[in-house]
Amino acid sequence: MKEKEIQDLKKLLTAPQNIVIIPHKNPDGDAMGSTIALQNYLSQNNHKATVIAPNDYPSFLKWLPSNDAVVIYDQETTEANQLIEEAELIFTLDFNHLGRCGDLESPLKKATAIFVMIDHHQQPDDYATYMYSDTTMSSTCQMVYHFIDMMNDLEKITPNMATCLYTGIMTDTGSFRYRSTTSTTHKAIAHLIDLGADNTTIHQKIYDTNTLAKLQLKGVALKNLNVLPEYRTAYITMSQKELNQNNYKKGDTEGFVNIGLSLEGIVFALIFIENEQENIVKISLRSKGDFSVNEFARSHFEGGGHNNASGGKSDLSLEKTIENFMSILPEYKTALLKS
Ligand code: 5GP
Ligand code: MN
């Protein structure tokens, strides 16, 4: 963010404001960690700040401090619409175009508030007055840490805020493994531990909460793993029927896409998950090296994200989506073999 913007925002935040903070649809650890931490920070400074999530999120995130104060748009629509109407400032976190927040898109487009974007995805849209967009950042949580630093308020990070920020940095970096993890990330993490984030407990709360159903679902994913060595690609399909048979709950398939990527020699991995309720197939894409899944998702599946992690969707049936995918893949053969 430019120095002038930082100074302007600082000034704006000296008087109490009505503030709404929005994560993307199907929020993950980074989206919930960053929005809740920012909400805690702004509340300390006498603002009235509320997190409004477009829809519900997985139970492995429900232990986050202040989780109970989050308003879920598709469950508390009237209250949320009122908060958005009254808002003077709207922070949008961990996404960069309003289409990413589902049914919240329309009330946000009508809102009169000043928008602030904090985000680390590629190709941001131009809806925010204040834009802190940095694609080199590991996570939006790391950016919220730097944002609080820009406001000269690092000492205001409470143990609860440190816990939220640690969680999002950890989940978005695959526990500090991905290339976006820098020494600056580790310095922020070290500071967050000093400020009260209990690192071991956070890892356990996120990763050691398997249910038998989830492990059985993983068995189905392993059985459905298709490997295409000639394209250095692996993909998994999950039909709605398979999800139902295994008592699927939101978040149960989180991380499954990485199963394919862990195979030696594979640089491109996908998971196609049928969602009958929304009448779509939701797609998660991951890559290693130079192969851009952001470009792939953007060009073919109405999606986007980062170079090595992106998402998208298809309106075709699961079967037709795979057929379509298989017809596209040859175009990318050279790029995949080079990656
Ligand atoms: P995931 O596969 O874990 O849902 O998402 C991977 C990355 O891609 C995340 O950074 C997420 O925000 C982004 N992403 C997921 N789905 C979409 C989508 O439909 N559109 C865009 N633009 N980004 C997405
Ligand atoms: Mn993120």
Side-chain angles (χ1 to χ4, degrees), residues 31-45:
M32 290 321 299
S34 59
T35 50
I36 294 175
L38 184 67
Q39 188 273 338
N40 280 210
Y41 166 67
L42 294 168
S43 300
Q44 274 182 49
N45 292 355

Side-chain angles (χ1 to χ4, degrees), residues 30 94 120-121 139-140 172 306:
D30 189 30
D94 202 34
H120 65 136
H121 294 91
S139 53
T140 302
D172 254 32
H306 311 283

Side-chain angles (χ1 to χ4, degrees), residues 24 26 28 94-97 100 120-121 172 254 257 271 282-286 294 298 301-306 309-313:
H24 55 76
N26 301 323
D28 56 7
D94 202 34
F95 66 94
N96 61 20
H97 65 100
R100 284 282 288 138
H120 65 136
H121 294 91
D172 254 32
E254 185 92 17
V257 62
I271 186 164
K282 180 70 196 157
I283 309 164
S284 285
L285 307 89
R286 300 290 185 273
N294 169 50
R298 205 168 273 273
F301 295 111
E302 297 170 55
H306 311 283
S310 70
K313 69 173 179 96

Side-chain angles (χ1 to χ4, degrees), residues 244-315:
N244 295 348
Q245 280 168 347
N246 289 281
N247 199 14
Y248 167 80
K249 302 227 168 28
K250 206 173 195 49
D252 279 355
T253 54
E254 185 92 17
F256 285 7
V257 62
N258 294 308
I259 296 172
L261 206 61
S262 72
L263 280 167
E264 201 180 352
I266 296 300
V267 296
F268 183 25
L270 310 89
I271 186 164
F272 297 87
I273 302 173
E274 189 176 28
N275 182 333
E276 258 174 8
Q277 201 189 338
E278 293 188 29
N279 211 6
I280 58 164
V281 175
K282 180 70 196 157
I283 309 164
S284 285
L285 307 89
R286 300 290 185 273
S287 69
K288 278 186 180 154
D290 297 334
F291 187 71
S292 171
V293 289
N294 169 50
E295 193 278 324
F296 195 94
R298 205 168 273 273
S299 305
H300 305 289
F301 295 111
E302 297 170 55
H306 311 283
N307 279 338
N308 295 127
S310 70
K313 69 173 179 96
S314 157
D315 297 323

Side-chain angles (χ1 to χ4, degrees), residues 321-337:
T321 301
I322 298 299
E323 264 176 38
N324 180 32
F325 166 65
M326 290 305 296
S327 74
I328 296 163
L329 209 47
E331 272 175 56
Y332 290 86
K333 189 165 188 174
T334 317
L336 285 163
L337 294 181

